[in-house]
Structure formats: structure tokens, C-alpha cells
Amino acid sequence: MTETRTSFAALAEDVGAIFERAGLVASQARALGRVIAAGERDACKSHGIYRIEGCLKTIAAGKVAAGAEPEVTGEDGAVVRVSAHGGFSVAAFEMGVPRLEARARAHGVAALVINDCVHFSALWPEIEALTERDLAALAMCPSYASVAPAGGAAPLLGTNPMAFGWPRAEAPPYVFDFATSVAARGEIELHRKAGKALPDGWAIDADGAPTTDPEAALAGAMLPFGAHKGSAISTMIELLAGVMIGDLTSPEALEAVGTTALAPRHGELILAFDPARLAGGRGDPLARAEVLFEAIQGQGARLPSQRRFRARAAAERDGIALGEEDVAMLARFRRDGLAALEG
Amino acid sequence: MTETRTSFAALAEDVGAIFERAGLVASQARALGRVIAAGERDACKSHGIYRIEGCLKTIAAGKVAAGAEPEVTGEDGAVVRVSAHGGFSVAAFEMGVPRLEARARAHGVAALVINDCVHFSALWPEIEALTERDLAALAMCPSYASVAPAGGAAPLLGTNPMAFGWPRAEAPPYVFDFATSVAARGEIELHRKAGKALPDGWAIDADGAPTTDPEAALAGAMLPFGAHKGSAISTMIELLAGVMIGDLTSPEALEAVGTTALAPRHGELILAFDPARLAGGRGDPLARAEVLFEAIQGQGARLPSQRRFRARAAAERDGIALGEEDVAMLARFRRDGLAALEG
């Protein structure tokens, strides 16, 4: 099989062009292009070019405001508020970043609220946009009702991702980004396709009983990670990044879109901290953090995201590898736009 | 056995008097009295009067600045900074609360940094002091190196508690407060005393191998909850509430005090959010949160802290029950001060 090598910039432009061709306004299309190219570059396949089709379907279904430009709707105290006006979240995030940075520098801690967005993106690209600016950051958002609270019997919470980042001068940042469910829905799908039983503790069936059958799990609910502790964190995310910011919770998001097959609509909360200010002259926080990272790695434990950073380094050196099918898919979507979805 | 009933106010005063008798300045002694009485009232025995002895030992060992008054050392932007100047954390927290509230109202989100404190307190009394003011709150702090990072082999992280609260108008607040280790050290001690094996996944031995032997676990390390996810959250707590606020991490705290038998010395980070401001007029966040709580309880799942709130309601109705031994212990400490530790 022939393999094509491309650069991050070229892939980002290519994917952006696909979305423009499909009717998305340039600001949204290009931001989406960058974040999908970043996923592909980092071998984070679940957020790479594989996701293009789902985004196009969301556009075709009229579930995203394709012509919407993001807008700063509030900037007050330590809070910046950007509305995506029904468009994809990424352009709204990009618009908010410099303002969030300015507020975090001015106040020590600040919050970026994104409202009315169709959410497509892992959270780590957002976290990294802030660690690049020497800020620590914590991001969270609801998703779709698909996870039962600990002790519960039916889908209510989302897979509610939570991500955190800490800047490092001489290494890629400390970044974690994970779902608060034990497993992602995609992993259950993979078990179903492979005809494999699920590990214990992943899911319950439609009657609320524990199950290892992927079909029964998909008809039932996933479970939160870490039992009641993960369930509590997921509930906190519904409260802070749903209710508190005046946007949809996971059950509301599912009701609004009516299916989990399209990108969900809700908001997002991103907190940014200026470590230099928070430390108040009590030591150099970036240098002190390195002592902790060395101690973790020194006992054989790994820092999160290292696989992703290794893939990135390889892609930056050798280019991003695309198979023949990938290249054909990109060409088809670029040529035919939404019409390619029918084929 | 005779049982004595007392009120929260009387018990708080009694415990405060014990600490004053032991040489603690009034501001620290009374704050400690209130928080210990709250633990006893809520049947949260691990933070009730059982803890008095440990606090007295910390005083006797000279590991707390008994005469220190807390001081506001910074108030700038969205950050309030209070130093306990080596005293117990609770008085410093109480001094910071009205300032944190004012900053959260002014800026939407604000942070309270407590530095140089000897940490004695569960985090939920602090969270509840903020939910009482209609703020949402997130608190975290390091502790002592006693938990191995996921994939690691030796103690490094603390049991690093994380607590969150959301205000409710017609019910006790939504509050969770948990260690980021699978189990608390005290639970491992209880298994040791009972001669019972630990559940799988709680701990590793001194060679880094999984163990269910409590003795081996106490000589080795505890494990974080939720595998790599809990480990990442615990690491985040070291970074945000240790390094970033210019205070000790868990390994540094252990090195500074030299034993896990005394209360640890480090800092704490408390974030407060004003939901009314964050919602920006997009719905009533407190009312919307009730819909979520009803849905959780409606499927048979429980909200956290309910056992504690039931115990509180009973104590408020019937008084706080103290056994003969408890009463004798309180009398002895009140009469003899630190000298009672010898007996």
C-alpha cells in the first residue's frame, strides 16, 4: 500500500478546505482543520481525519450553524464569555484564548465560558494552547447522557471529559485528558465488532444490571470511572460546565439533538491560572514542578500523553503518514462536499 | 453505658477550651473546636473528637506555631492569600472566607490560597462555608507522600483530598469530599488490627508489587483511585495546591515533618464560583441543578454526603451523643492540657 506523507500545515489546510467546501464559514472550517490535523499528527485517531465524516453529517443534518461567526458576548471580571452561536466550538475557543490569557494575567485565575457550541474536539488541543502561554489550565464539558451515576440504573451523565495542563519549559507540557466514564463509547463498539466480552465494571444493561455483553451495554449505560468518586466528578462537570455556565447538561444535550450519532451541543468551561502570580514569589513553580515530574518518572511511572508527544515528534520529523484510503477520502470530500456522504 | 448529649455549640466551646489550655492562641483554638465539633456532629468520626489527641501531639512536638495569628498576606485580582504562619489551617481559612466571597462576587471566579498551615480538617466544612454563601466551590490540598503514582513503585503522592460543593436552597448542599487514594490510611490500619486481607488494588508492598497484606501495604504504598485517571488528578493537586501556590508538595511535606503521625504542613487551594454571575442570565442555575439532582435520585442513585446530613439532622434534634469514655477524655484534656498526653 502506498503511503503519502504530509505536513501538519498542509493537512490542516486540506481538512479546512473540505469544511469550507461543505458550507462552513472560514473561521469555523479552518479551526476545525487545525484541530483534526493535530489529532492525526499525534496518532490520536479518535480525533483525527476519521472524524471528518461525522462533522460533515452534523452539517448535512442542519445541526450546526454553518455560517455562524463566534462572538465575545461577555468580558467582565475574571470571566470571558464567547458564544459559538450554534457553530462548532473550536473557532469560539480560539477567539477566547487571548482574552482568557489577559484575564488570567490580570487576576491570577480566570474562566473562559463557551456557550451554544456544537462540540467537536478533544480537550487537549485547548489545554496545550494555554500551556504554550505558560498558563496552567483545567477544562471540562458535558456530552450526551450515556453514563449511569454510581448506584443508578440508566444513562444520565455524559462521558464528561476533564483535562488539565501544566507548562514545561524543556519538554512537552504535563497534560491529561480523559473521559469520566470507565471506557469511551467507541471502545464498547470495538468490543461489539470483535465479538469480545467487556471487562467487568464497564457497563450495565437496560435493566440496570451489570453486563459484559457489548450489545446489552450499548442498550443500557456506561459506568463512571472510580465508582462513586468518578461519578461525583462527572456530576460536578454537569454542574460547573452545564448548569452554572447557563448551557445544556448531558441529558438536555441528548434531548436537544435526539441522537448520539451527531456531535453534541452544549457549552464548555476552561479555567486558566497564572502560576507566576499564584506562587506570589514563593519559589519558581515551573522549576519546582520538574522535581515532581522527575520523581514520578524516576520510579518507573509515566507522565500522561507521552505516546501522543512521541507520535508528534515523529510526524514533525517524517511527516504525517496517510494511507491510500485516507488520501482518497480526503480527495472525495474535497471534490464533492456534502454530496460525498451519499456515495 | 451512660450516654451524654451535648449541643454543637457546647462541644465546639469545650474542644476549643482544650486547645486553649494546651497553649493554642484563641483564634486557632476556637476554629479547631468548631471543625472538630462539626465532624462529631456529622458522625464523621475520622474528623471528630478522636482527632483531638493527634492535634495535641502536634502541639507538644512543637510542629505547629501555637501562638500564630493568621494574616492576609495578599489580596490582588481574583486571588486572596492568607498565611497561617505555621498555625493550624482552620483559622486561616475562616479569615479568608469573607474576602474570597467578595472576590468571587466581584470577578465571577476567585481563589483562596492558604500558605504555611498545619493541615487539620476535612475539606467539607470549608466547602459548606462557601455553599452557605451561595457559591460553588472546589478545594484541594496535598498531604504526605504515601501513594504511588499509577505504574510506580513507591510513595510519592499524598492521599490528596478533593472536595466540591454546590449550593441548594431547600436541601443540604451537594458536597463531595474524598481522598484520591483508593482507601484512606486509616482503613488499612483497621484491616491490620482486624487481621483482615485488603481488597485487591489498594496497595503495593515495599518492592512495588501488589499486596493484600496490611503490614506490607503500610511498609509500601497506597494506590490512587481509578488507576491512571485518579493518579493524574492527584498529580494535578500536587501541582495546583502545592507547587503553584508556592507551598509544599506531599514528598516535601513528609520530609519537613519526618513522620506521618503528626498533622502535615503544606498549603491549600480553594476556588469559588458565583453561579449567578457565571450563568450570565441564561437560566437560574440553582433551580436547574435541582432537575439534575432529582434525576440522579429518581433512578435510585444517592447524592454524596447524605449519611453525614442525616447524622447532622439527628444531632440537631437530639443532641450529639458522647459515650463515658469520650466525656472522660474531654475532661482529662481540659484539666491537664498537654500533660494528659503522658497518662
Side-chain angles (χ1 to χ4, degrees), chain A residues 76-79 81 83 106-111 113 115-116 136-138 140 148-157 162 164 166 174 176 178-183 225-233 235-236 238-240 242-249 251-252 269 271 273-280 282-286 288-289 291-293 295-296 299-304, chain B residues 76-79 81 83 106-111 113 115-116 136 138 140 147-157 162 164 166 174 176 178-183 225-233 235-236 238-240 242-249 251-252 269 271 273-280 282-286 288-289 291-293 295-296 299-304:
Chain A
D76 185 19
V79 182
R81 188 168 214 113
S83 173
H107 299 291
V109 54
V113 170
N115 281 131
D116 296 324
L138 180 62
M140 57 188 83
L156 177 66
L157 307 170
M162 173 173 168
F164 170 77
W166 179 269
Y174 178 92
F176 70 72
F178 54 69
T180 50
S181 49
V182 175
F225 91 102
H228 69 282
K229 294 182 182 181
S231 186
I233 290 174
T235 304
M236 174 186 82
E238 299 286 346
L239 291 168
L240 291 182
V243 165
M244 184 176 79
I245 65 168
D247 221 307
L248 301 186
T249 60
E252 290 168 342
L269 176 66
L271 300 175
F273 305 87
D274 182 354
R277 257 182 88 103
L278 267 290
R282 296 169 58 99
D284 173 355
L286 268 52
R288 290 185 59 220
V291 177
L292 186 71
F293 298 140
I296 291 172
Q299 61 170 260
R302 277 179 294 192
L303 300 181
Chain B
D76 185 19
V79 182
R81 186 166 218 114
S83 174
H107 300 293
V109 54
V113 170
N115 281 131
D116 296 324
L138 179 62
M140 57 187 85
V147 176
L156 177 67
L157 307 170
M162 173 173 168
F164 169 77
W166 179 270
Y174 177 91
F176 70 73
F178 54 70
T180 50
S181 49
V182 175
F225 91 101
H228 69 282
K229 294 181 182 181
S231 186
I233 290 173
T235 304
M236 174 185 82
E238 299 286 347
L239 291 168
L240 291 182
V243 166
M244 185 176 79
I245 65 168
D247 221 308
L248 301 186
T249 60
E252 290 168 343
L269 175 66
L271 300 174
F273 305 87
D274 182 354
R277 257 182 88 104
L278 267 291
R282 296 167 58 98
D284 173 354
L286 268 53
R288 290 186 59 220
V291 177
L292 186 70
F293 299 139
I296 291 172
Q299 59 171 262
R302 276 179 294 190
L303 299 181

Side-chain angles (χ1 to χ4, degrees), chain B residues 61 102-103 119 144 161 176 202 212 228 248 263 280 300 312 315 329 331 338:
Chain B
R103 299 271 151 177
H119 207 270
Y144 275 135
F176 70 73
W202 278 29
T212 59
H228 69 282
L248 301 186
R312 183 183 306 180
M329 181 262 284
L338 294 178

Side-chain angles (χ1 to χ4, degrees), chain B residues 32-226:
Chain B
L32 218 50
R34 281 188 286 274
V35 83
I36 286 178
E40 197 65 29
R41 175 199 64 199
D42 284 13
C44 177
K45 293 288 181 186
S46 61
H47 287 84
I49 57 174
Y50 146 83
R51 279 289 185 98
I52 294 173
E53 185 169 351
C55 291
L56 292 176
K57 282 181 178 167
T58 300
I59 297 168
K63 296 290 189 182
V64 64
E69 296 284 359
E71 182 191 2
V72 176
T73 52
E75 207 171 358
D76 185 19
V79 182
V80 180
R81 186 166 218 114
V82 182
S83 174
H85 288 311
F88 285 109
S89 58
V90 196
F93 175 79
E94 289 187 354
M95 178 174 271
V97 166
R99 290 175 165 84
L100 176 61
E101 181 187 6
R103 299 271 151 177
R105 298 250 182 264
H107 300 293
V109 54
L112 171 59
V113 170
I114 300 178
N115 281 131
D116 296 324
C117 68
V118 173
H119 207 270
F120 167 81
S121 172
L123 298 182
W124 60 258
E126 303 184 351
I127 291 293
E128 289 193 29
L130 296 167
T131 55
E132 274 168 22
R133 293 165 186 248
D134 282 342
L135 298 171
L138 179 62
M140 57 187 85
C141 66
S143 54
Y144 275 135
S146 55
V147 176
L156 177 67
L157 307 170
T159 51
N160 299 0
M162 173 173 168
F164 169 77
W166 179 270
R168 303 181 68 187
E170 307 290 340
Y174 177 91
V175 176
F176 70 73
D177 176 2
F178 54 70
T180 50
S181 49
V182 175
R185 197 175 176 86
E187 293 175 84
I188 295 180
E189 291 279 10
L190 287 175
H191 278 75
R192 187 183 60 78
K193 284 182 190 166
K196 282 170 58 181
L198 303 176
D200 282 329
W202 278 29
I204 54 177
D205 65 20
D207 298 322
T211 186
T212 59
D213 173 8
E215 292 279 7
L218 290 167
M222 295 191 276
L223 289 172
F225 91 101

Side-chain angles (χ1 to χ4, degrees), chain A residues 47-96:
Chain A
H47 288 84
I49 58 175
Y50 145 84
R51 279 291 184 95
I52 295 173
E53 185 170 350
C55 291
L56 292 176
K57 282 181 177 166
T58 299
I59 297 169
K63 296 290 189 181
V64 62
E69 296 284 359
E71 182 191 3
V72 176
T73 52
E75 208 171 358
D76 185 19
V79 182
V80 179
R81 188 168 214 113
V82 181
S83 173
H85 287 311
F88 284 109
S89 58
V90 197
F93 174 79
E94 289 187 355
M95 177 173 272

